[in-house]
Amino acid sequence: MEQTQVKPSNGKDDLIVVENLVKYFPIRRGLLQRVVAQVKAVDGVSFTIKRGETLGLVGESGCGKTTVGRTLLRLIPATSGKVYMEGRDIFSLKGAELKALRKDMQIVFQDPYSSLDPRMPVGESIMEGLNVHNVGTKEERWERVINLLRQVNLEDFHARRYPHEFSGGQRQRIGIARALALQPKFIVADEPVSALDVSVQAQVLNILMDLQEEYGLTYLFVAHNLSVVEHISTRVGVMYLGKMVELASRAEIFAHPLHPYTQALFSAIPIADPAVARKRERIILKGDVPSPINPPAGCHFHPRCKYAMAGLCDKEEPPFKDYGNGHFVACWLLEKQGA
């Protein structure tokens, strides 16, 4: 049974609306390369992102976080579903309309080194989007590049240097400057600080937050580090095996996680105070994450859930619905308790 998707909202403040997004990757074998199976990376996800907010997206490795971000930017084609930006159906746009949309939607990649051309000075890399969209004169483009480097705390002379001459944190700041070059409305930050030292992480996060306040940017922030997500996010979505299992405001979800998977995930957050840490119950999940090639029937989390109900959780997918104050959860336990 397909999961019942209840759209989190569809108001005038919504910049991005995602409806039942699906992305399967085919597995091909044999001489004729026939499709023998599908990797269900994203399997029916719905959410919205409001103007000026940061939606944090968390979950275990392989749950589909990065695929969601790249699919809604059309960096990879979706299998099915709809994504709207300011009411425009992104997946239906072609040619000049799609090119114009690219200016409004940008990405900061996880690995700043592999996303930069090693044979091109970073100033030219930042200016490349301006050249493609023919923004201003050559002098105006270069002036914007210099201003962008200053905004991410780099110097003017850095524009002439190559990626290998920078540290990881500097390269990530260059990636942020490049994403800002076309003055976008929406940026997907795909684990932008996961490969950086803790002190450098704080610098990059502060830059992202300052730029958001200055330009009114909207972020989809994909991350593993829950402390980072708590620091930067307005709302937080939790994914498990291609599904969105919980979505709520930052304060609500960290104070009162409702889904059993979210509770287990948040119980692993380190606590600085030893007295508090000793009192907290650490939830250890049994078993391993099932394969996205053949996910379990019903609720994908039921093989690892201590609250799983036979005949229900293993048969039917729970509805993703609001349980109050915009706190969306997909769990049969809550559905039964509210009945």
Side-chain angles (χ1 to χ4, degrees):
M1 178 181 175
E2 185 177 331
Q3 183 180 23
T4 304
Q5 290 287 350
V6 180
K7 222 176 351 180
S9 72
N10 192 11
K12 62 181 181 180
D13 293 333
D14 294 332
L15 180 69
I16 304 291
V17 178
V18 180
E19 295 182 354
N20 203 29
L21 182 65
V22 175
K23 176 58 185 176
Y24 293 169
F25 292 96
I27 298 175
R28 301 178 184 274
R29 287 179 184 164
L31 183 64
L32 300 178
Q33 290 293 288
R34 291 192 176 95
V35 176
V36 296
Q38 300 274 3
V39 176
K40 299 178 180 179
V42 179
D43 197 10
V45 168
S46 297
F47 61 90
T48 64
I49 307 176
K50 299 182 184 301
R51 297 177 191 275
E53 81 165 351
T54 299
L55 177 65
L57 202 56
V58 301
E60 292 170 292
S61 295
C63 70
K65 307 183 300 295
T66 294
T67 304
V68 166
R70 296 192 178 201
T71 303
L72 66 86
L73 290 181
R74 285 189 63 174
L75 295 181
I76 52 178
T79 302
S80 64
K82 298 284 187 181
V83 176
Y84 299 92
M85 179 173 180
E86 297 182 319
R88 292 175 293 175
D89 183 355
I90 292 173
F91 295 162
S92 68
L93 298 181
K94 298 179 181 179
E97 288 184 318
L98 178 58
K99 183 179 179 180
L101 180 73
R102 298 290 189 198
K103 294 177 65 176
D104 294 333
M105 306 176 75
Q106 294 291 312
I107 185 170
V108 178
F109 292 99
Q110 178 179 359
D111 185 350
Y113 189 70
S114 65
S115 65
L116 294 170
D117 189 335
R119 296 169 296 180
M120 184 182 290
V122 299
E124 292 184 22
S125 289
I126 295 171
M127 193 166 57
E128 193 169 17
L130 300 172
N131 294 335
V132 169
H133 290 274
N134 198 28
V135 177
T137 64
K138 186 175 181 180
E139 291 74 21
E140 290 171 338
R141 295 171 199 166
W142 188 253
E143 184 179 354
R144 182 179 291 188
V145 168
I146 298 301
N147 287 333
L148 287 166
L149 287 173
R150 291 172 182 171
Q151 284 186 299
V152 296
N153 299 332
L154 293 173
E155 302 295 336
D156 297 6
F157 63 84
H158 285 143
R160 301 292 184 184
R161 292 188 174 180
Y162 290 83
H164 72 272
E165 299 180 76
F166 295 92
S167 68
Q170 288 175 321
R171 284 196 289 261
Q172 195 58 283
R173 282 184 269 164
I174 292 165
I176 293 170
R178 185 176 59 177
L180 287 171
L182 291 168
Q183 299 178 326
K185 299 176 182 178
F186 174 62
I187 293 178
V188 173
D190 183 14
E191 303 196 39
V193 297
S194 63
L196 307 179
D197 292 337
V198 174
S199 59
V200 180
Q201 285 184 11
Q203 295 173 17
V204 173
L205 288 173
N206 289 334
I207 288 172
L208 287 170
M209 294 171 73
D210 290 343
L211 292 170
Q212 182 177 39
E213 184 175 350
E214 182 175 352
Y215 295 108
L217 295 170
T218 303
Y219 293 142
L220 175 64
F221 191 88
V222 177
H224 280 104
N225 191 322
L226 295 171
S227 298
V228 167
V229 170
E230 185 177 13
H231 177 67
I232 197 172
S233 299
T234 311
R235 291 187 299 145
V236 178
V238 181
M239 289 188 66
Y240 181 81
L241 205 62
K243 297 281 188 182
M244 185 82 78
V245 297
E246 189 161 359
L247 174 66
S249 68
R250 172 186 58 193
E252 176 70 19
I253 200 167
F254 277 93
H256 306 290
L258 297 179
H259 195 281
Y261 173 67
T262 310
Q263 293 170 357
L265 196 67
F266 286 7
S267 76
I269 300 175
I271 296 178
D273 188 342
V276 176
R278 281 195 296 269
K279 294 177 183 178
R280 185 181 65 177
E281 179 188 359
R282 175 72 170 90
I283 302 173
I284 307 296
L285 296 177
K286 61 183 180 181
D288 297 321
V289 180
S291 170
I293 298 174
N294 186 27
C299 173
H300 286 185
F301 185 62
H302 85 263
R304 307 176 72 192
C305 180
K306 64 181 180 180
Y307 304 111
M309 294 173 279
L312 181 59
C313 296
D314 56 349
K315 299 294 182 183
E316 299 184 28
E317 292 186 26
F320 186 60
K321 61 183 288 187
D322 189 353
Y323 287 91
N325 299 320
H327 196 147
F328 288 79
V329 188
C331 182
W332 280 121
L333 181 65
L334 296 175
E335 186 74 0
K336 291 297 182 183
Q337 289 175 347

